[in-house]
């Protein structure tokens, strides 16, 4: 087969017409997307609320592990208490604004942090959460003494999502559970 000038031997390509969406197809797509978003949004809010409660309980869990370690290694008493200013304990036992972890040397009752007592941790609580506890404070003591046992529960203020509970044993060991496990004894408010 001989080729002439200007012949490349390639087959001609068929032309394809560009096609877009029709107005009806676009309206149906938007309606389906809107329905999916409307169904997913309430679940997303509950998931975020559960995540915030879990994050707060994990921070308290970490604080109690730090308190046990410091108490044992330094042979001191360590106190975890509610605090709104990250410097002093609250006397009313409201944990929803924040909390404070410090080394207690004076052993005051109720616990109050003195100027010379070392602050180990302080945290502000997410304003969308409420934290309830059956203790005004938790004292973690050396091996010779018992620690304060009790329970802390973190929940969403609007009742969305699942709350989390932190149960503290007499040895100061914390364990996290769903809030529903302790709801009969310590419900969220």
């Amino acid at each position: 087969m001989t080729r002439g000038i200007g012949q490349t031997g390639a087959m001609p390509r068929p032309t394809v017409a560009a096609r877009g969406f029709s107005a009806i197809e676009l309206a149906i797509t938007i309606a389906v997307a809107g329905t999916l978003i409307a169904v997913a949004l309430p679940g997303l809010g509950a998931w975020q609320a559960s995540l915030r409660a879990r994050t707060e309980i994990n921070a308290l869990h970490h604080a109690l592990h730090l308190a046990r370690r410091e108490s044992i290694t330094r042979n001191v008493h360590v106190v975890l208490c509610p605090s709104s200013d990250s410097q002093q304990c609250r006397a009313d036992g409201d944990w929803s604004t924040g909390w404070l972890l410090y080394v207690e040397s004076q052993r005051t009752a109720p616990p109050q942090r003195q100027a010379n007592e070392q602050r180990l941790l302080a945290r502000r609580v997410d304003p969308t959460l409420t934290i309830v506890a059956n203790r005004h404070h938790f004292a973690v003591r050396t091996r010779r003494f018992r620690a304060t046992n009790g329970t802390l529960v973190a929940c969403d203020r609007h009742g969305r999502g699942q709350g989390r509970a932190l149960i503290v044993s007499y040895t100061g060991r914390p364990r996290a559970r769903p809030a529903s496990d302790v709801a009969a004894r310590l419900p969220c408010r």
Side-chain angles (χ1 to χ4, degrees), residues 6-177:
Q7 291 180 343
T8 61
M11 298 294 291
R13 292 188 202 168
T15 57
V16 177
R19 184 175 185 272
F21 292 107
S22 69
I24 294 173
E25 290 172 329
L26 186 60
I28 290 172
T29 302
I30 291 173
V32 168
T35 303
L36 289 175
I37 290 171
V39 169
L41 272 173
L44 182 62
W47 177 76
Q48 286 176 327
S50 297
L51 186 61
R52 283 191 289 269
R54 183 178 292 272
T55 299
E56 197 58 48
I57 288 299
N58 286 346
L60 285 161
H61 197 264
H62 169 72
L64 284 165
H65 276 294
L66 176 64
R68 286 189 80 233
R69 188 188 76 205
E70 292 297 310
S71 176
I72 291 169
T73 58
R74 294 170 50 184
N75 198 25
V76 294
H77 290 215
V78 179
V79 171
L80 175 68
C81 64
S83 176
S84 53
D85 63 359
S86 301
Q87 297 298 322
Q88 293 297 323
C89 295
R90 287 181 66 130
D92 62 0
D94 182 11
W95 292 81
S96 294
T97 56
W99 47 265
L100 168 67
L101 182 71
Y102 70 97
V103 175
E104 182 185 42
S105 60
Q106 302 292 325
R107 296 194 182 114
T108 58
Q112 283 301 316
R113 183 175 168 255
Q114 307 301 316
N116 63 339
E117 293 176 328
Q118 180 186 7
R119 184 178 81 165
L120 299 173
L121 281 176
R123 182 174 170 96
R124 293 272 213 207
V125 173
D126 187 317
T128 63
L129 293 177
T130 182
I131 298 179
V132 294
N134 60 357
R135 300 285 183 261
H136 287 276
H137 71 280
F138 291 86
V140 179
R141 299 178 181 100
T142 60
R143 293 183 196 179
R144 295 177 296 183
F145 303 99
R146 288 188 343 179
T148 306
N149 72 319
T151 305
L152 294 138
V153 178
C155 299
D156 183 71
R157 288 187 186 274
H158 305 291
R160 297 175 299 192
Q162 184 181 30
R164 290 294 287 174
L166 188 67
I167 302 165
V168 184
S169 71
Y170 281 117
T171 62
R173 289 183 184 204
R175 62 185 168 97
R177 305 288 306 157

